[in-house]
Amino acid sequence: HEAYLLATEAITSSGESLRKRIAPRLADYACKMISAMTDGKYKSIGVSGSLDMTFESEGATHSLDYLSAGTRDLAYIGLRLALIDLLFHKGYPPLIFDESFAHQDNNRTHRIMKLLNILSSEGQQSIIFSCHDRESKIAGAVGKFKYIKLN
């Protein structure tokens, strides 16, 4: 039983140490992504060891709950991109977005598509599902993409 408790404690401690080491890297990359998607509006994003996200505004740190649904969506997209960057060094898994931009206005959707176009030049494939034409029109204005209409 003592060996079990010692092993559990060692695993927990190791996991916490690892999360503390990678959280700043995740925060840096996620911050770059979110800043690109919001045209620099959000420049200071924090990621805790448990992957909770915060941001700074008006000299205070706030939970993402303080943000609009659309901005929270962008924050989580930024975190996912940061996790992919951290975990995959040889090739990336495809990103799949299913109505992920529904809460975004045209300007933010344009910036997201621009970012995804830049990431595609680095080998990141994105698949976007939408029941609207808006995303395909914006993607076409940003760069090269393949449009498949499902009936």
Side-chain angles (χ1 to χ4, degrees):
H1 179 70
E2 287 179 21
Y4 167 77
L5 292 176
L6 183 62
T8 302
E9 183 180 313
I11 291 170
T12 301
S13 175
S14 177
E16 288 174 12
S17 174
L18 179 63
R19 283 190 294 272
K20 285 179 183 176
R21 283 195 325 266
I22 65 169
R25 286 179 56 196
L26 287 174
D28 288 344
Y29 194 89
C31 190
K32 288 177 190 171
M33 298 297 102
I34 296 163
S35 183
M37 291 184 283
T38 63
D39 200 26
K41 184 173 181 180
Y42 297 98
K43 297 178 183 176
S44 181
I45 300 293
V47 178
S48 73
S50 59
L51 301 182
D52 293 324
M53 296 179 72
T54 58
F55 73 100
E56 289 184 24
S57 176
E58 300 171 4
T61 301
H62 302 282
S63 158
L64 290 190
D65 295 335
Y66 184 81
L67 299 172
S68 69
T71 305
R72 275 194 312 268
D73 289 347
L74 295 181
Y76 290 122
I77 289 170
L79 180 60
R80 288 180 186 110
L81 292 172
L83 285 166
I84 288 170
D85 183 68
L86 180 73
L87 296 171
F88 295 91
H89 302 285
K90 293 183 181 180
Y92 299 109
L95 296 172
I96 300 175
F97 299 95
D98 186 5
E99 294 296 342
S100 298
F101 314 129
H103 294 119
Q104 306 303 324
D105 62 22
N106 289 344
N107 290 331
R108 282 199 175 168
T109 302
H110 186 271
R111 285 191 292 272
I112 294 166
M113 295 296 182
K114 187 176 178 181
L115 176 63
L116 294 178
N117 190 49
I118 291 167
L119 293 174
S120 75
S121 69
E122 298 170 5
Q124 179 67 64
Q125 180 183 26
S126 298
I127 301 168
I128 301 168
F129 292 99
S130 179
C131 61
H132 305 286
D133 290 337
R134 177 181 76 138
E135 285 80 1
S136 66
K137 290 176 184 173
I138 292 173
V142 169
K144 187 177 175 183
F145 77 104
K146 183 167 183 164
Y147 175 72
I148 301 171
K149 184 171 183 164
L150 303 175
N151 292 326

